[in-house]
Amino acid sequence: KHGTLECSLRNPSPRQATICGTKGVIEVQFPFWCPTKFTVQGMTGLGSQTWTEKKVYEFPLPDITGEYNFVNSEGLAYEAAEANRCLRAGLTESPLFDSEECLAVMQVIADIRSRWEK
């Protein structure tokens, strides 16, 4: 399986992400770092000629009032609630995103970074 991710934080951009893989495309709307919506469209066939209908997934932000430093920061309430739940249950990590999964993500980031440094 192969996919590509391309973005720029140094140059003006629409600040959305398009992830193209061997089985289709994922479009993540602005702001891609904390989105509330993304679209998935599958593809098959010789030269990727057959496309499925686009499927949109939406995740509303919690209704929290206040000022924030960054767009969609109220979405961090989900992480805070899960951390609070784990602490109250005496857990040292969340079963929703455990240390093994966290290390796997960190390895992907380290692999990408090592390619930039060459």
Side-chain angles (χ1 to χ4, degrees):
K1 297 182 181 184
H2 176 77
T4 60
L5 173 65
E6 188 176 330
C7 71
S8 174
L9 299 177
R10 292 184 181 176
N11 302 308
S13 73
R15 296 176 288 171
Q16 61 192 30
T18 302
I19 304 165
C20 303
T22 56
K23 295 185 179 184
V25 176
I26 301 170
E27 295 174 337
V28 184
Q29 301 301 313
F30 167 81
F32 76 86
W33 55 90
C34 53
T36 58
K37 179 169 85 170
F38 68 90
T39 305
V40 176
Q41 186 173 27
M43 63 180 183
T44 59
L46 183 62
S48 303
Q49 298 297 315
T50 307
W51 292 86
T52 65
E53 291 293 320
K54 288 185 178 181
K55 186 165 183 181
V56 177
Y57 297 87
E58 293 191 60
F59 306 91
L61 294 169
D63 187 20
I64 301 173
T65 58
E67 294 185 30
Y68 300 99
N69 292 325
F70 303 103
V71 65
N72 292 359
S73 289
E74 58 266 44
L76 294 172
Y78 297 121
E79 291 181 42
E82 177 62 5
N84 188 34
R85 186 194 70 76
C86 291
L87 289 171
R88 289 178 183 258
L91 300 173
T92 57
E93 65 183 19
S94 171
L96 299 175
F97 192 77
D98 62 19
S99 58
E100 185 175 316
E101 189 169 0
C102 182
L103 289 171
V105 170
M106 291 172 64
Q107 185 61 56
V108 168
I109 293 168
D111 290 347
I112 292 169
R113 186 175 181 164
S114 71
R115 294 176 190 178
W116 287 340
E117 294 172 351
K118 290 182 180 180

